[in-house]
Amino acid sequence: MIHSLFIINSSGDVFMEKHWKSVISRSVCDYFFDEQRKVGCPEDMPPVIATPHHYLISIHRCSMFFVAVCMTEVPPLFVIEFLHRVVDTFDDYFSECTESIIKENYVVVYELLDEMLDNGFPLATESNILKELIKPPNILRTIANTVTGKSNVSSTLPSGQLSNVPWRRTGVKYTNNEAYFDVVEEVDAIIDKSGSTIFAEIQGYVDCCIKLSGMPDLTLSFMNPRLFDDVSFHPCVRFKRWESERILSFIPPDGNLRLMSYHIGSQSVVAIPIYVRHVVSLREGRLDITVGPKQTVGRTVENVVLEIPMPKCVLNCVLTPTQGKYSFDPVSRILVWDVGRIDNTRLPTIKGSITLQMGVQAADSNPNINVKFTINQLAVSGLKVNRLDMYGEKYKPFKGVKYITKAGKFQIRM
């Protein structure tokens, strides 16, 4: 299955490698670097690269590439899902996943990778099991291990490893029992010059933070479950119950998890929560952009950022924003306007002049605008949680649901 894993930083250096079978030379990454030079940004990198003797399957997260090397044909999504599990595990263990954090915890990282993959095949990928096998690092444990020469690996098998519910450890106890759910929706859209929607869809997910004692059995129902075009679940969800009743029934892992991911396609009418009015003329050297809310049900649009990749003929931009601040990078030619929060009574505007290179003809087409935004307490699809019930335990937990709408790949053509 998976022979080797290489972790590559933003500078293109392989700073960590792990081999489960035979050692594969890091020169295999040259094929990866050749493809990387052909693309403009990390998101456009092809996830699967076929070489004469290997398959390179990669993901880009936390400003790093995680590249798995396989010798034979394997289901690519299987490997991609495993790589995401690796990053999620690092996040869970070290609070964040960065190059410096991985370097500081090399020993624990190698121990985790040894347990997560056995002879190239996924073995233990659940965080609860891994934490019983390998204790998360802290200062006292690190000092003790240095003095005594011990490792973080436990000598006993985790209690959940052989049970029917391997994702949940036994004997969980909390003073305050609580379950929080975040319904997060990312809007992917392409808006044309006139403001009409060319393409729009929603990628959503339900993240949970569950701290409940004992072995609770939960059911979560939605007001309008027929909205979903496609769904994927955490292994704890009983799929037959969902197919028959459209109810999520599950015994949850302890702590944080992604309960489900869903997709709402273009056959549904997707509300566009923001609009941009723009007048950009490279020939005349002027720019005028206004941004405002649209179909937000009275919710405030926050963390608004507009990013405009300018053509190479643009030397500089001298602009005046009514709100926020802007920056123009003369090397990458990217104009960024950090708007912040939109006040409905006074819409943010930026206008000014664009300086072009002398003797260079302006491009016929205008650049695109990439938009980022966040809207709290709104699921733009209209999805709503109906109720959460708990069985198997007698206490009453505290329950909460939060809705967030964010921009995914949200592009406006000028």
Side-chain angles (χ1 to χ4, degrees), residues 138-153:
N138 59 39
I139 294 173
L140 289 175
R141 193 173 289 125
T142 304
I143 294 170
N145 289 348
T146 305
V147 172
T148 60
K150 292 181 179 179
S151 73
N152 290 329
V153 181

Side-chain angles (χ1 to χ4, degrees), residues 7 118 121 216 226 228 292 360:
I7 305 180
D118 182 28
F121 290 87
R226 303 289 170 187
F228 303 130
V360 178

Side-chain angles (χ1 to χ4, degrees), residues 161-362:
Q161 184 85 5
L162 303 175
S163 76
N164 292 330
V165 190
W167 51 83
R168 187 175 181 87
R169 58 192 172 89
T170 56
V172 180
K173 287 186 179 179
Y174 286 103
T175 307
N176 297 318
N177 294 285
E178 47 197 22
Y180 299 107
F181 295 84
D182 288 352
V183 180
V184 183
E185 296 190 339
E186 296 184 355
V187 183
D188 296 340
I190 298 175
I191 313 297
D192 70 5
K193 195 173 183 178
S194 63
S196 304
T197 304
I198 299 173
F199 161 85
E201 63 180 18
I202 293 169
Q203 311 290 345
Y205 46 90
V206 179
D207 282 346
C208 314
C209 178
I210 296 181
K211 297 180 178 180
L212 300 175
S213 305
M215 194 68 74
D217 198 328
L218 305 180
T219 59
L220 181 72
S221 60
F222 298 98
M223 292 277 206
N224 36 10
R226 303 289 170 187
L227 281 171
F228 303 130
D229 289 329
D230 192 17
V231 289
S232 66
F233 300 111
H234 188 278
C236 69
V237 175
R238 300 180 179 100
F239 188 61
K240 283 188 177 179
R241 181 90 185 266
W242 170 262
E243 279 192 313
S244 60
E245 302 176 46
R246 284 294 188 266
I247 288 176
L248 293 178
S249 173
F250 58 100
I251 296 174
D254 180 40
N256 298 314
L257 75 144
R258 178 154 295 178
L259 185 64
M260 69 176 288
S261 303
Y262 60 88
H263 168 82
I264 298 175
S266 48
Q267 64 263 31
S268 305
V269 179
V270 176
I272 304 299
I274 198 169
Y275 72 88
V276 177
R277 287 200 301 265
H278 47 81
V279 178
V280 178
S281 174
L282 293 177
R283 293 180 185 278
E284 298 174 14
R286 67 190 182 93
L287 178 145
D288 188 344
I289 295 175
T290 303
V291 60
K294 173 185 175 184
Q295 295 176 306
T296 60
V297 201
R299 305 293 182 190
T300 304
V301 185
E302 300 174 304
N303 305 325
V304 180
V305 178
L306 274 63
E307 187 179 280
I308 308 172
M310 290 292 188
K312 291 183 179 179
C313 61
V314 175
L315 274 180
N316 196 15
C317 299
V318 180
L319 307 171
T320 305
T322 60
Q323 181 180 324
K325 55 185 179 180
Y326 81 95
S327 63
F328 178 73
D329 187 343
V331 178
S332 62
R333 304 287 204 283
I334 294 177
L335 171 65
V336 178
W337 179 25
D338 190 344
V339 181
R341 184 173 178 167
I342 295 181
D343 183 0
N344 295 352
T345 60
R346 186 167 169 267
L347 298 180
T349 302
I350 188 169
K351 58 176 68 176
S353 60
I354 301 171
T355 308
L356 304 180
Q357 291 181 15
M358 294 292 290
V360 178
Q361 188 175 359

Side-chain angles (χ1 to χ4, degrees), residues 63-104:
S63 304
M64 294 177 286
F65 282 102
F66 293 77
V67 184
V69 182
C70 305
M71 300 282 279
T72 56
E73 282 196 20
V74 295
L77 290 177
F78 189 85
V79 180
I80 287 170
E81 175 63 23
F82 173 76
L83 292 175
H84 280 295
R85 285 288 182 97
V86 169
V87 182
D88 291 340
T89 302
F90 291 169
D91 264 331
D92 196 24
Y93 260 74
F94 313 125
S95 300
E96 58 178 335
C97 181
T98 63
E99 181 185 353
S100 59
I101 290 288
I102 290 174
K103 286 180 176 177
E104 286 171 16

Side-chain angles (χ1 to χ4, degrees), residues 6 19 26 49 94 112 115 130 156 197 245 294 298 320 333 353 361 373 409 412:
F6 296 96
H19 307 280
R26 64 170 61 182
I49 300 169
F94 313 125
L112 284 170
E115 296 296 339
L130 287 168
T156 57
T197 304
E245 302 176 46
K294 173 185 175 184
T320 305
R333 304 287 204 283
S353 60
Q361 188 175 359
F373 59 82
K409 293 182 179 177
I412 295 171

